């Protein structure tokens, strides 16, 4: 984790200089990769494969993943029965803990959605905070939820992790919207991204 929280004299200071530097690296590198591939989803997925993350294509992946409250794209570490379910479906054995992987249906996924997920994956790949199991579980719990019940009981570490998870999703959304506008000038890009699943916490 590159964001460190220090408590001293009842003052909380979050040191994020390394995170900010890595965020800039991610932004610039993804910009170059997307420019070099012209945003071709197949080439971006191939890049993910060649950098050590398993990519799985499943028929009706969206419906299969919805059963465990996950969405297509980057699936972080899972634990328990959800991990077991996913491991069986993706030929990863019978473990109750799954490794991060990238899952998509065979066809029909919007290229901008893949770009959004690619940006999140690259942020994860480069070690930006917010992708650990606990932070992602909190993110999914409060994503698009009007019910913030229990959020006041989170520890400082949990709040920091949730904040980082939200930031990573927002960074991916911002990049994708800006890229889409630069390509087609669409006024509907923001609506499309929100419908496809961006953070709205």
């Amino acid at each position: 984790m590159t964001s460190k929280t220090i408590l001293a004299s009842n003052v909380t200071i979050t040191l994020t200089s390394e995170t900010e530097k890595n965020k800039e690296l991610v932004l610039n590198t993804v910009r170059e990769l997307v420019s070099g591939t012209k945003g071709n989803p197949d080439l971006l997925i191939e890049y993910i494969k060649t950098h050590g993350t398993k990519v799985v294509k499943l028929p009706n992946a969206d419906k299969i993943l919805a059963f465990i409250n996950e969405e297509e794209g980057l699936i972080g570490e899972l634990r328990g029965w959800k991990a077991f379910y996913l491991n069986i479906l993706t030929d990863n054995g019978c473990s109750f803990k799954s490794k991060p992987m990238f899952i998509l249906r065979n066809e029909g996924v919007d290229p901008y959605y893949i770009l959004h997920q690619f940006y999140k994956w690259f942020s994860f790949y480069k070690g930006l905070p917010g992708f650990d199991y606990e932070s992602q579980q909190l993110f999914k719990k409060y994503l698009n939820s009007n019910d913030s019940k229990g959020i006041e009981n989170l520890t400082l570490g949990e709040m920091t992790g949730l904040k980082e998870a939200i930031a990573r999703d927002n960074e991916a959304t911002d990049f994708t919207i800006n890229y889409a506008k630069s390509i087609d000038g669409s006024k509907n890009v923001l609506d499309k991204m929100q419908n496809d699943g961006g953070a709205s916490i």
Side-chain angles (χ1 to χ4, degrees):
M1 190 177 222
T2 53
S3 294
K4 297 177 182 177
T5 301
I6 298 174
L7 292 175
S9 303
N10 297 322
V11 177
T12 302
I13 304 171
T14 303
L15 305 178
T16 60
S17 58
E18 189 178 345
T19 296
E20 291 302 317
K21 187 165 59 176
N22 288 342
K23 277 169 53 179
E24 195 68 26
L25 172 66
V26 167
L27 175 61
N28 292 333
T29 305
V30 173
R31 188 181 284 141
E32 289 174 9
L33 287 168
V34 171
S35 175
T37 61
K38 292 182 168 50
N40 184 310
D42 293 329
L43 294 178
L44 295 177
I45 290 168
E46 195 58 37
Y47 185 91
I48 293 171
K49 284 183 188 176
T50 59
H51 286 76
T53 299
K54 184 171 183 175
V55 175
V56 179
K57 290 197 173 183
L58 295 171
N60 301 313
D62 53 335
K63 295 178 178 63
I64 290 169
L65 292 172
F67 182 67
I68 55 171
N69 198 30
E70 294 289 339
E71 295 179 347
E72 292 176 272
L74 175 64
I75 309 291
E77 174 193 341
L78 295 179
R79 298 176 187 172
W81 74 267
K82 292 182 179 182
F84 184 83
Y85 173 85
L86 198 62
N87 281 331
I88 294 295
L89 285 173
T90 56
D91 295 323
N92 280 326
C94 299
S95 174
F96 284 92
K97 186 174 180 180
S98 65
K99 293 181 179 179
M101 62 185 90
F102 208 89
I103 301 178
L104 295 167
R105 73 190 92 157
N106 290 329
E107 57 186 26
V109 184
D110 186 87
Y112 290 137
Y113 183 79
I114 292 179
L115 179 57
H116 176 264
Q117 292 296 308
F118 178 83
Y119 196 100
K120 286 184 75 169
W121 169 81
F122 197 80
S123 298
F124 157 76
Y125 175 70
K126 285 298 181 182
L128 283 176
F131 292 103
D132 59 282
Y133 176 76
E134 288 79 10
S135 298
Q136 284 297 305
Q137 291 304 301
L138 288 171
F139 176 69
K140 285 172 229 173
K141 179 178 179 180
Y142 294 110
L143 177 67
N144 294 326
S145 173
N146 294 324
D147 183 11
S148 59
K149 184 178 179 181
I151 201 166
E152 71 279 1
N153 296 323
L154 297 180
T155 66
L156 178 61
E158 289 170 336
M159 286 292 291
T160 301
L162 177 58
K163 179 183 174 184
E164 295 286 8
I166 293 169
R168 300 296 83 79
D169 191 78
N170 286 339
E171 288 152 14
T173 300
D174 289 345
F175 177 85
T176 306
I177 289 170
N178 290 332
Y179 177 77
K181 285 179 177 177
S182 73
I183 296 300
D184 58 25
S186 172
K187 294 179 181 179
N188 299 318
V189 173
L190 178 58
D191 290 338
K192 185 169 187 56
M193 286 300 302
Q194 289 174 334
N195 291 335
D196 283 343
S200 63
I201 296 178

